[in-house]
Amino acid sequence: MKVLKSHQIDDLLKPLLRKGKAVALTGAGISAESGVPTFRGRGGLWEKYDPEIFANAQGLLSTFRLKPVEIVDFLTDLYSVLLKAKPNPAHFALAQMQNKGILDCVITQNIDDLDSLAGLDNVYELHGNAFRLRCQRCLRKINLNREKLAALIKEMKNCRNSKWKFLKLFSQFFPKCSCKDRFRIDIVLFGEMLEQDVLSKAYQAVKNCSSLFLIGTSGVVYPAAGLPFIAKQNGAKIIEINDNPSELSFISDYQILGKAARILPLLIKDL
Ligand code: OAD
């Protein structure tokens, strides 16, 4: 693996990019500059909320039954951050790469919706999207309206001391579907299966790409972390952009250490 300095991008990475058929696999680090803390970093979600409880369907259900106010706090903390976040130069650089026809798709582990806000198409959201609900029975999906959601979250925050009020707000947040079951947030919790269609599109993309950019992911959560191995087996070059080495550094051909919002705009300059 070759560690590149910013000035080596022109000589080593741009010729690769000009070949086209690049794919980006992104993680929480790409959204750090948008104000969304990473999961495992300092101040990250899993520092305040135990993922065994809050990223787990059984944990969430039993907390809802026993201490529903903790769910209020979790939802209001999560959405206060997500609703404020805007795409940063790293997301926009990927959108530009796509407009130039050199980036085929983005495979993301993020649920923050920042790729589509940056104008990216062909985004495979492996872990779902926090701005979408999914019916638990018939799997119908609906998008959440950001303004209504912001108002609901604000109301929920204000009535955290009144159980009957916030329980009423929960039923607005998670309405009933026409099939009579309830909607839930369309994200993948620990121990749950990824959506098969999304995962097979991601497999197909990494099999066919000529370069795979790993951007801001610790590479510890599978099956996402397995995708670079498939790309490599099929002859793709692996380029890691991360502010620190990760679990996937060892299979990368090139590594650039630094913030994604600074490095990615350098990649598309003069392309
Ligand atoms: P992590 O929080 O595990 O890792 C974030 C990575 O981004 C780390 O390697 C950081 O060093 C790096 N990083 C932080 N700031 C950066 C910046 N400004 N520029 C570049 N890199 C930066 O997040 P993920 O790898 O996305 O799953 O975590 C994978 C999955 O674990 C998440 O999708 C989530 C979580 O539990 C589910 O919720 C199912």
Side-chain angles (χ1 to χ4, degrees):
M1 189 252 298
K2 190 170 168 59
V3 181
L4 302 183
K5 299 275 177 236
S6 312
H7 69 270
Q8 292 173 301
I9 287 177
D10 282 354
D11 297 339
L12 292 166
L13 294 190
K14 285 191 181 162
L16 246 182
L17 272 172
R18 287 194 187 96
K19 280 192 193 161
K21 293 182 86 176
V23 167
L25 171 64
T26 63
I30 195 173
S31 299
E33 251 69 40
S34 297
V36 184
T38 56
F39 289 95
R40 295 175 178 78
R42 212 150 33 97
L45 202 62
W46 300 155
E47 197 176 83
K48 185 164 176 195
Y49 295 100
D50 181 353
E52 295 293 328
I53 297 172
F54 290 92
N56 173 294
Q58 281 313 316
L60 283 167
L61 206 63
S62 50
T63 309
F64 176 73
R65 287 195 187 117
L66 299 171
K67 301 179 213 154
V69 72
E70 289 192 9
I71 303 289
V72 174
D73 292 340
F74 178 63
L75 284 178
T76 53
D77 273 358
L78 177 69
Y79 280 100
S80 303
V81 169
L82 292 181
L83 281 159
K84 257 193 267 153
K86 300 269 180 294
N88 69 53
H91 299 101
F92 288 121
L94 291 181
Q96 268 180 273
M97 282 165 74
Q98 200 167 60
N99 288 339
K100 286 176 195 286
I102 50 186
L103 179 76
D104 280 356
C105 66
V106 174
I107 303 168
T108 189
Q109 298 162 84
N110 300 342
I111 56 165
D112 54 28
D113 203 31
L114 293 178
D115 296 309
S116 54
L117 289 186
L120 276 153
D121 292 321
N122 283 350
V123 180
Y124 305 135
E125 295 168 320
L126 294 179
H127 297 162
N129 186 317
F131 291 92
R132 213 168 43 220
L133 299 180
R134 171 180 87 230
C135 172
Q136 304 187 84
R137 185 192 298 167
C138 73
L139 307 181
R140 184 161 77 91
K141 297 192 180 197
I142 51 173
N143 290 328
L144 286 167
N145 173 298
R146 283 176 177 259
E147 280 167 18
K148 280 190 195 156
L149 179 63
L152 198 60
I153 290 294
K154 195 170 161 201
E155 239 186 296
M156 231 182 230
K157 219 180 210 165
N158 290 338
C159 71
R160 77 180 286 286
N161 294 322
S162 166
K163 191 172 168 183
W164 73 267
K165 270 194 193 159
F166 68 65
L167 288 179
K168 210 167 138 203
L169 291 173
F170 273 152
S171 58
Q172 280 180 40
F173 195 113
F174 305 108
K176 277 201 171 162
C177 177
S178 48
C179 80
K180 304 265 186 301
D181 209 329
R182 233 172 241 290
F183 283 99
R184 59 168 270 185
I185 303 171
D186 187 22
I187 58 178
V188 177
L189 297 167
F190 285 174
E192 290 183 332
M193 297 269 287
L194 273 63
E195 206 175 302
Q196 281 312 297
D197 178 48
V198 177
L199 188 58
S200 28
K201 283 180 179 151
Y203 278 133
Q204 210 49 43
V206 293
K207 267 187 198 157
N208 293 324
C209 69
S210 61
S211 53
L212 178 66
F213 287 77
L214 311 178
I215 308 168
T217 178
S218 55
V220 296
V221 173
Y222 283 77
L227 295 170
F229 295 89
I230 297 171
K232 185 117 181 159
Q233 271 166 12
N234 285 275
K237 293 280 184 213
I238 312 290
I239 303 105
E240 175 169 63
I241 299 171
N242 198 307
D243 68 350
N244 275 295
S246 77
E247 293 296 312
L248 295 171
S249 300
F250 80 100
I251 70 151
S252 302
D253 296 284
Y254 300 114
Q255 183 187 56
I256 312 174
L257 293 176
K259 296 201 182 301
R262 186 179 71 80
I263 307 294
L264 278 160
L266 299 177
L267 272 178
I268 49 148
K269 209 167 147 241
D270 305 324
L271 255 188

